[in-house]
């Protein structure tokens, strides 16, 4: 392998302490009286460059927006979209009508309704409610994606009472009209639904979780308005929520889910094939009353970590993804006092370059955000490494890494940088998820 020249000041071999990004958390309250808070979503709704928060409150029948005003600490302005959305259960955001701004979507458990709220602009935003489906019984979850590839946003929902997973076709009119297409009407106690291309054929498939069926299932989009069902797990006790991110960064969609009575957080690795084969790995077998799950790179190491909530023990936790094969997971507590912890989400709320966490306490009607205090590199766990394999440990000028390798550069705060972004300072070279060399750049 050819190594481009690095300006050499000093090259030595010495014991190196493996490094990892350390995260501390500061808890902030967004709302302490949002009745039955059971869903949160973070997105820039008013297009001001700051991440806002949407919430659904099942006891208050309420859909609300908290506008992020910035500042330190952040301040929030609450705006109510709806106070008569009976059993408001889940919120999402997408540009439903294709007019360039972000609309809100919500499901109503008691009202058995899916609806979207048109963003009419203004300050405060003017909202107009439109019903998508008024007979979707015990509507639990709603999401949105372009299911039919016609460049407009369709809607998906999970209805618990009728055991239904369905998608609603957007006709592209203004306002849109909707045609319901049932994917399954036998998914017992349907709770969660997401869209992702599981088999890599360019068509969006559907993933779901069913509480009473104890199931995690995906449906292959056959491209002809039919679906083929594949059950990944039918013993995932009271399966409650599912997502389909690429956990192992291999270019395909994996599946992550939580189960309430199994107390499990688990993921299924997509191994490819036709039909797709999956390998299950338990991340945590003891998250008591697991209700919520989400994925994000919390510590800026380039790997998707997993977030989970525990209704019984009031926990908000995150699981660090080692990036190895197999992946190992390290549980870290964010909050052990989120009363009836249910929804969890993640986004850079304070615009400081790291990912914060958003969660709600269903039992105490609170919505919290947890400020990520990423404090950089902790050099611990001594191990021997040959530093000469990568060249100098103190450099002047550009750093060049061996071509065709898996090396990345991490700054002192734990963020990935490119060689062109390196100013004078301390950096670490990471190889396959392990920090293997410390670099000091002096010019």
């Amino acid at each position: 392998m050819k190594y481009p020249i690095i300006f050499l000041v000093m090259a030595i071999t010495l014991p190196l302490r493996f490094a990892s990004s350390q995260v501390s958390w500061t808890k902030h309250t967004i709302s302490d009286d949002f009745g039955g808070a059971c869903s949160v979503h973070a997105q820039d709704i008013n297009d001001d460059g700051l991440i806002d928060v949407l919430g659904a409150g099942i006891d208050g029948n309420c859909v609300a927006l908290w506008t992020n005003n910035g500042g330190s600490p952040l301040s929030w302005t609450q705006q109510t979209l709806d106070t008569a959305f009976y059993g408001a259960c889940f919120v999402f955001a997408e540009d439903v009508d294709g007019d360039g701004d972000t609309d809100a979507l919500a499901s109503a458990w008691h009202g058995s309704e899916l609806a979207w709220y048109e963003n009419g602009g203004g300050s405060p935003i003017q909202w107009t409610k439109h019903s998508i489906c008024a007979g979707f019984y015990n509507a639990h979850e709603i999401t949105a994606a372009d299911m039919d590839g016609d460049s407009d946003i369709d809607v998906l929902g999970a209805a618990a009472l009728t055991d239904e997973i369905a998608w609603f076709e957007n006709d592209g009119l203004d306002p849109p009209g909707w045609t319901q297409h049932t994917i399954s009407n036998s998914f017992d106690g349907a709770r969660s639904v997401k869209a992702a291309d599981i088999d890599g054929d360019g068509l969006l498939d559907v993933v779901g979780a069913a509480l009473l069926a104890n199931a995690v299932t995906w449906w292959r989009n056959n491209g002809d308005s039919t679906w083929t069902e594949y059950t990944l797990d039918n013993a995932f006790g009271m399966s409650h929520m599912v997502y389909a991110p690429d956990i192992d960064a291999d270019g395909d969609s994996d599946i992550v889910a939580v189960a309430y009575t199994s107390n499990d957080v688990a993921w299924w690795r997509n191994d490819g094939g036709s039909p797709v084969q999956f390998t299950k790995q338990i991340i945590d077998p003891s998250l008591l009353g697991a209700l919520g799950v989400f994925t994000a790179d919390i510590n800026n190491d380039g790997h998707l970590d997993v977030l989970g909530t525990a209704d019984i023990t009031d926990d908000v936790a995150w699981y660090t993804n080692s990036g190895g094969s197999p992946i190992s997971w390290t549980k870290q507590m964010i909050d052990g006092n989120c009363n009836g912890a249910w929804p969890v989400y993640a986004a850079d709320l304070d615009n400081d370059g790291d990912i914060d966490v958003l969660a709600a306490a269903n039992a105490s009607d609170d919505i919290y955000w947890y400020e990520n205090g990423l404090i950089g590199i902790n050099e611990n766990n001594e191990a021997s490494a040959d530093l000469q394999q990568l060249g100098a440990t103190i450099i002047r000028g550009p750093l060049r890494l061996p071509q065709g390798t898996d090396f990345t550069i991490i700054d002192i705060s734990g963020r990935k940088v490119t060689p062109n972004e390196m100013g004078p300072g301390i950096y670490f070279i990471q190889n396959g998820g392990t920090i293997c060399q410390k670099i000091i750049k002096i010019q």
Side-chain angles (χ1 to χ4, degrees), residues 158-398:
L161 186 62
T162 51
D163 308 326
E164 190 169 2
I165 298 290
W167 74 281
F168 299 82
E169 183 179 355
N170 182 338
D171 65 9
L173 299 179
D174 184 19
W178 305 93
T179 301
Q180 181 174 344
H181 303 275
T182 297
I183 297 171
S184 175
N185 58 8
S186 59
F187 198 47
D188 197 8
R191 286 300 193 275
S192 186
V193 61
K194 300 295 187 297
D197 183 4
I198 299 296
D199 56 0
D201 65 353
L203 302 174
L204 283 180
D205 309 302
V206 172
V207 181
L211 190 87
L212 301 181
N214 305 310
V216 176
T217 297
W218 76 282
W219 292 266
R220 182 181 185 273
N221 183 345
N222 297 318
D224 58 1
S225 301
T226 66
W227 302 84
T228 302
E229 179 175 320
Y230 299 93
T231 298
L232 276 69
D233 199 326
N234 60 8
F236 200 57
M238 296 185 76
S239 178
H240 191 263
M241 183 172 279
V242 66
Y243 275 93
D246 184 4
I247 292 285
D248 54 359
D250 65 350
D252 54 31
S253 294
D254 308 301
I255 294 171
V256 61
V258 288
Y260 189 82
T261 55
S262 291
N263 307 311
D264 283 341
V265 183
W267 76 288
W268 289 260
R269 187 186 68 218
N270 184 333
D271 295 324
S274 182
V276 177
Q277 302 298 304
F278 288 87
T279 300
K280 179 181 178 181
Q281 182 190 27
I282 297 291
I283 297 171
D284 185 356
S286 58
L287 190 67
L288 301 184
L291 278 180
V293 69
F294 197 73
T295 61
D297 182 4
I298 299 297
N299 56 355
N300 278 355
D301 66 351
H303 306 303
L304 272 184
D305 307 307
V306 173
L307 294 152
T309 56
D311 173 56
I312 294 174
T313 51
D314 305 327
D315 292 339
V316 180
W318 71 286
Y319 303 88
T320 306
N321 177 345
S322 70
S325 182
I327 294 172
S328 62
W329 301 91
T330 302
K331 182 177 182 178
Q332 302 189 45
M333 194 65 66
I334 298 173
D335 189 2
N337 191 32
C338 185
N339 192 3
W342 184 344
V344 65
Y345 205 86
D348 184 4
L349 295 173
D350 53 2
N351 202 29
D352 67 349
D354 54 35
I355 298 298
D356 308 300
V357 172
L358 182 66
N362 177 259
S364 57
D365 307 329
D366 297 309
I367 295 179
Y368 303 117
W369 76 279
Y370 302 88
E371 183 178 355
N372 184 336
L374 190 67
I375 60 176
I377 296 297
N378 176 38
E379 296 175 73
N380 53 19
N381 300 328
E382 282 193 7
S384 179
D386 182 3
L387 301 187
Q388 296 189 58
Q389 64 179 316
L390 296 178
T393 58
I394 301 177
I395 65 170
R396 185 193 306 270

Side-chain angles (χ1 to χ4, degrees), residues 110-127:
H110 299 308
S112 298
E113 184 178 7
L114 302 178
W116 72 283
Y117 297 83
E118 182 180 355
N119 182 340
S123 183
I125 295 172
Q126 301 302 302
W127 296 97

